[in-house]
Amino acid sequence: MQRVPRFRLYKVPTQIGDIIDTTGAQKTDITGLLNNKQNRPDESCEEGKNCLLVKDAGGTEHWYPIIDCGEDSFLSGLNFDGANISFGPGEPWGWRLSSQNTLMCQNSAIGCQSGEWVTSYNKNSSAVGDNIVFGVMRRVAIAESTPGTIVTLPNNVQSGDVCVCKATKYKTWDASASRYGDGHDITTDKWLVIGNASDDENCMHLCADERNNSGGSKLAYYASIGNTCSAPAVEASMCLRHDFFVTASVTPPEHHGFVVSGEGANDCGQGGYFTGNSHCSENGAWIAEYEQNGILGYVYGTVGFASVPNGTTQYSVVDLNLSDLSTSGAGKNAVVCMVKGYKPASSTSETNVNLGKAFVVSVGDMSSVSGDGSGYSRTCGNAVAYTNDTGYSQAMSWYNILGNMCEAQ
């Protein structure tokens, strides 16, 4: 029998002890895993969902559900070639307002409902017109006016001149029955900004006309609403419009005043109609009251030196803010009037504005102009007050611009 060297036997107790220690440590680790393991993530992950574990920059673990995307193959596979459909009069689109059917909607096979637009498409190798998409339009007062923008609309959005379109259903041609099949409803809260429209018919045309839209094709919009994993649309910002300026521009004011070198003049002078009005104590200020079948209210503003682009002409409108105005002509090349606010007769308080549009009343090197330039407040006051003033019609156009501007809310 072979004998084991004595020095090897010395190591056996140590090795056995190491095994016992390791086994104990492994038991502790396994117990910890069993106690702390997650059978299902407890952070935003529903029963039966697969989730992805991600650590943030701070090392905190977060579970994110893995979402299965759904895609509407009809909406994602549309094409447009601009050809007229074989049985539709005119262009390959149309709309219906009240009982008036236009272009494609004249054909009863299309089945346009009041307030609907329709556009025909081909899909893969199908003929143009084999696939048609219906939708509705709205003209709303929102700040997002760039064609091609996809938004959702606030619940209390007001009417305006931004035309938006929403797809509501589609139909495909049933060759065996020689008719369009039943409509497939499209459920979405996304709207496509398509342009600006002054009336409903113009907006309908913009929504229906796939070929001439300045915002490009509606195909990208269809792809967005047809895929459940598409990014959500942002809610549009509502506009605040100052309609008073448009109203004021239709009639000359009954009273107006201005302040030159600290002294009120005209109806801002002593005993004048606006005596006591706070704006009649502001150097360089001007104020005008408008009346049409009763007093409408008044507009107030200021005058100042400014830098305008080369080539700017007198009585034009330029982009400037109130903070751009200076009381010194040094280094400036224009004198401009700016509106600071208005007060409708029906309101108990004034509305201050800074709409970023100035009315140019003088151009040239202003460095040699003495004083603070407040003398030009008379020029501003006259331009918005006298119909025979050389700048009056342009000043009223300036008012119209102000009244149609959108202040995002």
Side-chain angles (χ1 to χ4, degrees), residues 303-320:
V303 68
F305 297 104
S307 296
V308 299
N310 291 332
T312 299
T313 58
Q314 186 183 32
Y315 303 135
S316 58
V317 178
V318 296
D319 294 331
L320 286 175

Side-chain angles (χ1 to χ4, degrees), residues 65 109 123 165 191 230 235 251 266 285 384 390:
K123 184 175 174 63
C165 324
W191 292 78
S230 294
E235 184 174 272
T251 181
N266 207 330
V384 299
T390 54

